[in-house]
Amino acid sequence: IIYSISLYLCQIVADHIHQDLAEGEELEILQSFYGSVESTMLNLFMAITGGRDWVVLCDPLMEISIVLVGIFAAYIAFSLLAMLNVVTGVFVESVLKSQATDRDLFMVSNARELFLSLEEGMHSAMSWETFESKLGAPQMKEFFKAIDVDPSESHGLFKLLDLDGSGTVTADEFLNGALRLRGPAKALDVALLIQEVRKIERQVLRIDRDSRGDRSVRRSSVSEAVCTPFMASAVSASSSEMRR
């Protein structure tokens, strides 16, 4: 962008000078600011980085054409509002990613220290009683702070970390749960949740169909049990009438 604008301005200024339309101090200023493509690029770069006031660079162009002033102002607006914001956003995003990585490493380090404080170290399986007794440990406090959960909800969190339902939490379950619970839900987590809900739905429908089948069988049995005595009495009555 700087090169394109510089090439255009340099050509317009050169034509203006060759037509002897500039002289004296104006000629010196134009040659100083826009005498070559290199100097024009340097001045345009300084205009958006604070090295030189862009109004000073814009005043000589006013003597040539108001259109050049509009082009120069559009260049300043685009550079400040669009290009520099994009560059700033890239740097900010990289810093945020670096901070997220540091937080993950810090969380893993805290979890490792927490399990190393147990008897069997990293091979320990933490029960609810042990988990509750460690709520006051600095590592556990940092863990709750990292996932933004209040310590009063520790029992519910323990159930979430206990993926296999064994009543204990291993180091792998603790770390995986900590990294999974930190931040918003990922697409994989949502897909797994949908899959589990569909599985439960199929099981409920199967149980409902089985219960309906059992009810229909029981109803037919009851009907047969109720109708059989009446049928027998009717048959015996008709037989006695025929004998008479």
Side-chain angles (χ1 to χ4, degrees), residues 2-24:
I2 294 179
Y3 176 76
S4 301
I5 300 296
S6 300
L7 192 63
Y8 178 76
L9 292 179
C10 187
Q11 183 63 43
I12 296 298
V13 171
D15 293 340
H16 182 76
I17 293 176
H18 288 323
Q19 293 176 6
D20 296 332
L21 298 178
E23 56 184 13

Side-chain angles (χ1 to χ4, degrees), residues 87-102:
V87 174
T88 303
V90 171
F91 281 104
V92 171
E93 184 179 2
S94 64
V95 171
L96 293 178
K97 287 182 178 179
S98 177
Q99 289 181 350
T101 303
D102 293 340

Side-chain angles (χ1 to χ4, degrees), residues 53 62 66 99 149 158 164 169 179 191 195 203 215 221 226:
D53 192 355
M62 183 76 71
I66 192 65
Q99 289 181 350
V149 175
F158 181 82
D164 55 1
V169 175
L179 296 177
Q195 184 179 4
Q203 293 176 355
R215 285 197 298 268
S221 300
V226 172

Side-chain angles (χ1 to χ4, degrees), residues 208-221:
D208 184 61
R209 286 195 300 268
D210 295 340
S211 63
R212 288 181 180 179
D214 293 340
R215 285 197 298 268
S216 62
V217 171
R218 287 196 297 269
R219 286 175 183 175
S220 61
S221 300

Side-chain angles (χ1 to χ4, degrees), residues 60-207:
L61 300 178
M62 183 76 71
E63 302 296 331
I64 300 177
S65 174
I66 192 65
V67 177
L68 297 181
V69 177
I71 294 175
F72 195 94
Y75 158 75
I76 296 295
F78 177 79
S79 300
L80 294 179
L81 300 179
M83 186 173 64
L84 291 183
N85 284 341
V86 170
V87 174
T88 303
V90 171
F91 281 104
V92 171
E93 184 179 2
S94 64
V95 171
L96 293 178
K97 287 182 178 179
S98 177
Q99 289 181 350
T101 303
D102 293 340
R103 285 196 298 266
D104 291 342
L105 293 176
F106 181 69
M107 186 183 301
V108 171
S109 177
N110 282 335
R112 183 174 181 274
E113 292 179 3
L114 183 64
F115 275 85
L116 287 177
S117 64
L118 302 178
E119 293 182 359
E120 299 181 6
M122 295 299 295
H123 301 286
S124 302
M126 189 183 300
S127 63
W128 161 242
E129 290 75 15
T130 307
F131 188 87
E132 187 178 19
S133 65
K134 293 291 183 179
L135 291 178
Q139 296 86 356
M140 189 67 79
K141 291 181 179 179
E142 290 295 334
F143 167 67
F144 277 91
K145 182 180 178 181
I147 63 176
D148 195 18
V149 175
D150 191 85
S152 61
E153 302 176 0
S154 56
H155 193 264
L157 177 62
F158 181 82
K159 292 182 178 179
L160 289 176
L161 295 177
D162 184 16
L163 298 178
D164 55 1
S166 61
T168 58
V169 175
T170 63
D172 291 337
E173 288 177 334
F174 190 89
L175 290 174
N176 292 331
L179 296 177
R180 186 177 65 254
L181 294 174
R182 186 185 63 80
K186 297 181 180 179
L188 179 61
D189 297 330
V190 176
L192 291 175
L193 179 60
I194 294 174
Q195 184 179 4
E196 291 296 328
V197 171
R198 289 177 178 174
K199 186 185 299 182
I200 295 173
E201 183 182 5
R202 288 193 296 267
Q203 293 176 355
V204 171
L205 291 176
R206 189 182 303 112
I207 294 173

